[in-house]
Amino acid sequence: MRNPGNLCDSMLTQFRQTLQKQWYVRFVKNRPTSLTYKTLINMALRVTVVVLVSAGVSYIHVMSRLEAQTQVQLEKYISARGQYESSIFKLAEDNLTLLRDRLLQEFKQPTNDFQAEFERQYFSWNDGTKRNFPQNRPRKDFDSTRYAGSFIGQNVQITKELKQQLLTANTLISAYGSAWSNQFVDTYFVRRENATTTYWKGVPILLETPPDFYMPKEEFFYIADPQHNPSRSTKWTGVYLDLSVKVWMISASVPVYEGDRFLGVVGHDVVLTDLMEHTIQDQLPGTYNLIFRSDGRLIVHPDRTAQIQQAQGQLKIDTINDPHLNRIFQLVTNAQPKTHVLENSQDREYLAVTRLQGPDWYFVTVYPKSLLSGEAWDMAQFILISGAVALLVEVLLLLSVLHQQIARPLQQLTAASNQLADGDFAIALDTTRQDELGGLASSFNSMASQLKTSFIQLEQVNNALELRVEERTTTLQKTLEELRRTQTQMIQSEKMSALGQLVAGVAHEINNPVNFIHGNLTHIENYAQDLLKFIQLYQSHYPNPVAEIQAEAKELDLEFIRDDLPKMLSSMKVGTNRIREIVRSLRNFSRLDEAEFKAVDIHEGIDSTLLILQHRLKEQPQRPAIEVIKNYGNLPPAICYPGQLNQVFMNILSNAIDALEDANQQHLPTEVTSHPNTIWIQTSLSVMEIVISITDNGLGITDTVLKRLFDPFFTTKDVGKGSGLGLTISYQIVTELHQGKLHCNSTLGKGTEFVVTLPIKANFII
């Protein structure tokens, strides 16, 4: 009779051999059809399809979003560009209106001795003209930096009125022309009788004017006369090349009327060199700018400068064989007359258009759509490359998993058969699998069911215990993290509350003496005026006081005191007003310690925060000043926690300043002064919410950082420069206290935008 032990060993050995044979046939001999390789191939194909589809969808989505964003940004850019380029023309119109009004005011106050003064200042020349300088003296002796030149043409009837008005005009033109010479090359007043007064710093132009020169027939004069300008408005000439100084100019003319009588015109010549250079050189990357008039006359074009100069500023677009330029002109002139962005579908580009005030020129920025498609294609390429890398990583990971889930269990089955052959029944295999490995494991479990059951029970108890320990550990970690964040927030709130109380106290202490000083300045000014009037009355009745009084008046420089004292008092009033504004802003910012829900002006809170940060906005040795551009909408009073909301503005603006400082540090030294440090603040009111947008043009934020931006204690700043709680607290203030939204948009290398959204319905909750 056989030994049962030997029989068992024989059966186990046979089972092991059978198992090894099956494993070899399934996973070695038939490897191409094994579960591992089938799974790898199927997953690789599916992920490849997903990557390709994602890249295509991403390209379409990014292209659509870039087009929308580009149109909004272009409209902002062209609006700001139009205001900037129009400033010199608007200033010219304002200057000339002021000069015209001052001339008319002075014309009404004639002096008695103007006849003798006219004979003293004006000299007859051999060519039949009169000028305010002797003909036989060298032209270099005429001080053209201080005085205006005067010219009276041939055969002009010189009346008393003409003499008096020319003397008055010469004085005013000399004063105003010198003051305006930094921005305008000349300032002039031309009478209808062909008499003129012109200030041109350093150029005695009217001493070199030909004797037969008749100014009323020139364009700068006749465009403003009653026949061509019955509305009496400011008029602008066309572009012309001034042959005397070889620069391109345009002239502004304002008519001067005394009642209904036309006297002449006052005018400026505006040099266009800076405008032309700005237009050609200062453009968005990949774009170009051009300027033309509504009649088709081309003013500035980067590729046609030589043609414009050759045509003396009279180059018409319809005379140029350029269909693209003609399409731009037709699209722009046929559109509504306002700042807007047009789409030139035929040439695949955007046209950002604005009208320059004054000459009413069209300023156009041409933005090719290829810039957007290139960026979108870069994004799609990035997705393809990252998807391919992800596919490779996933295949490797899947191979590792399959090795662990299939190959290794088979090896374990082989080892288990050896254990059974040796009489070791301490084996526990997974029987939940529904594949071939599960079937093999069931065969093993049928031979050692009792031992397996005991092992499984023990493992379940152990797993349950580990799970409970892990759950409690996780709960304790979350509680500890929450306590730490709450403690830090309480400390931060106490700091801000203490700051609010300190600012309120300082503002109160400053406000009392400043109000006292400001209130008494009015009385001091009245007393000073009374004393000065008394002194003037005394001098009129006693023009020749005793020698001691005369000596004392000379020692005191009484005339200087009489002229300087009102200016000094006015400066003191301006200073006290400035201090009062600062105190009012500090008191507004001191709402940090207020906990009540009240109606406040959002703009007032932003301005107060900017005042607190004013020292950081100024120019620093390592960077230029930071410009803050505010575009405030018409907002109703917002019912909110004003102190908490000011804290949000403080955190966001401080981060924007930090970002601009980092951007300046990463530029080359020669580029620091040219880096446009700008913060845009825009508020608007929609149907359901108030929107506050704060944007900077720093380096931007990476996607990795952007995902964790509002996490507690997360910061990218150096140790000691930030706690990582500013944006977290701001997020809780906006979302929890005000039921609003706070999100961040950022483009790497271009800048970052924080958008605070407050629901309108919060205005009705107290």
Side-chain angles (χ1 to χ4, degrees), residues 610-669:
L610 288 173
L611 179 64
I612 300 300
L613 295 172
Q614 187 64 36
H615 68 286
R616 297 196 62 194
L617 297 173
K618 295 179 180 178
E619 182 177 358
Q620 305 292 336
Q622 69 276 13
R623 62 161 176 78
I626 297 174
E627 180 183 6
V628 178
I629 299 176
K630 296 185 286 187
N631 185 11
Y632 287 167
N634 187 13
L635 301 182
I639 300 178
C640 61
Y641 294 96
Q644 303 288 352
L645 212 53
N646 285 350
Q647 186 177 352
V648 174
F649 299 147
M650 173 71 76
N651 288 331
I652 295 177
L653 288 170
S654 296
N655 284 348
I657 295 172
D658 292 340
L660 292 174
E661 290 179 346
D662 292 342
N664 278 272
Q665 291 178 2
Q666 296 194 25
H667 282 83
L668 294 175

Side-chain angles (χ1 to χ4, degrees), residues 471-488:
E471 289 177 351
R472 291 196 176 186
T473 302
T474 302
T475 303
L476 288 174
Q477 289 178 346
K478 290 182 178 179
T479 304
L480 181 61
E481 186 72 20
E482 184 67 27
L483 286 174
R484 181 185 173 192
R485 184 175 64 180
T486 304
Q487 180 185 16
T488 307

